[in-house]
Amino acid sequence: MARIDESRSFIPVRIAVLTVSDTRSLADDKSGQTLADRIVEAGHILAARDIVTDDREKIRDRVLGWSRDEAIDVVITTGGTGFTGRDVTPEALEPIFEKRMDGFSEVFHRISYDKIGTSTIQSRATGGVVNATFVFVLPGSPGACKDAWDGILKPQLDYRHMPCNFVEIMPRLDEHLRRGTKAN
């Protein structure tokens, strides 16, 4: 059963938030602000925040840059997961996932279904690992960001969450890159 192990110390995680939008600025970005507020309220560090347009190359470049930054552990994007012509965030990021996190999408849709019913199928939320950095791709609505943070990311980014969590495996995300570097 999921629980918080109070004998473990909380470990703040450094999280970057990227809003993907042709129309938003930081001043009116409700989804990005929702995530930023929740990150800080949970005790984590908002390591970076930016907005890029719905452009595959710009999205990919920003996420790749952050994934190479040792001061960032997690990237959360919001926006561009629908089906319109400009919604390209999954297309920009899934090709660079070293490992895809199918369970994230499945659990997100389960939570979302309880709130908005079958409308959840209009989102292509996804997650994966890029350069040993967790990347979560969320829809652009504040409600979807709240659902993903409250129902999945907040508990999984808490080292005290049992029986397991993302924080405890972060140091091992790049071990496949280190294999074979030592003499057998």
Side-chain angles (χ1 to χ4, degrees):
M1 202 57 154
R3 63 182 173 83
I4 295 293
D5 182 347
E6 297 294 343
S7 70
R8 292 177 120 181
S9 297
F10 179 81
I11 298 173
V13 176
R14 300 163 300 182
I15 304 170
V17 174
L18 179 65
T19 299
V20 178
S21 176
D22 288 332
T23 60
R24 298 282 178 242
S25 68
L26 285 175
D28 65 358
D29 173 22
K30 292 180 182 174
S31 296
Q33 191 61 53
T34 295
L35 289 167
D37 291 344
R38 279 174 154 67
I39 288 164
V40 172
E41 287 168 13
H44 297 295
I45 298 160
L46 181 61
R49 183 168 171 211
D50 201 0
I51 295 179
V52 296
T53 57
D54 293 273
D55 176 278
R56 288 182 198 201
E57 192 171 309
K58 289 178 182 177
I59 297 164
R60 185 178 303 122
D61 287 350
R62 175 64 71 221
V63 171
L64 279 171
W66 281 346
S67 74
R68 293 179 182 123
D69 186 335
E70 291 185 14
I72 295 174
D73 303 308
V74 175
V75 174
I76 304 173
T77 73
T78 175
T81 66
F83 290 102
T84 69
R86 296 291 293 159
D87 292 327
V88 297
T89 307
E91 289 81 5
L93 299 178
E94 286 179 336
I96 63 172
F97 286 171
E98 295 153 14
K99 296 193 180 206
R100 185 178 163 136
M101 192 183 309
D102 294 326
F104 175 78
S105 179
E106 293 164 6
V107 173
F108 173 80
H109 284 294
R110 172 65 179 89
I111 291 168
S112 181
Y113 181 82
D114 289 343
K115 305 264 175 100
I116 64 170
T118 59
S119 293
T120 189
I121 66 172
Q122 293 190 32
S123 164
R124 296 178 299 137
T126 187
V129 176
V130 178
N131 293 320
T133 302
F134 285 115
V135 176
F136 301 100
V137 179
L138 308 181
S141 75
C145 291
K146 289 174 188 175
D147 292 345
W149 179 264
D150 296 348
I152 305 169
L153 298 176
K154 182 180 178 185
Q156 279 297 301
L157 294 174
D158 188 334
Y159 178 67
R160 303 166 302 168
H161 181 78
M162 294 289 139
C164 58
N165 59 75
F166 291 142
V167 180
E168 62 193 358
I169 64 172
M170 282 180 178
R172 297 179 42 217
L173 290 178
D174 66 350
E175 66 187 11
H176 67 288
L177 301 173
R178 296 188 307 256
R179 286 190 192 131
T181 58
K182 296 180 182 178
N184 292 333

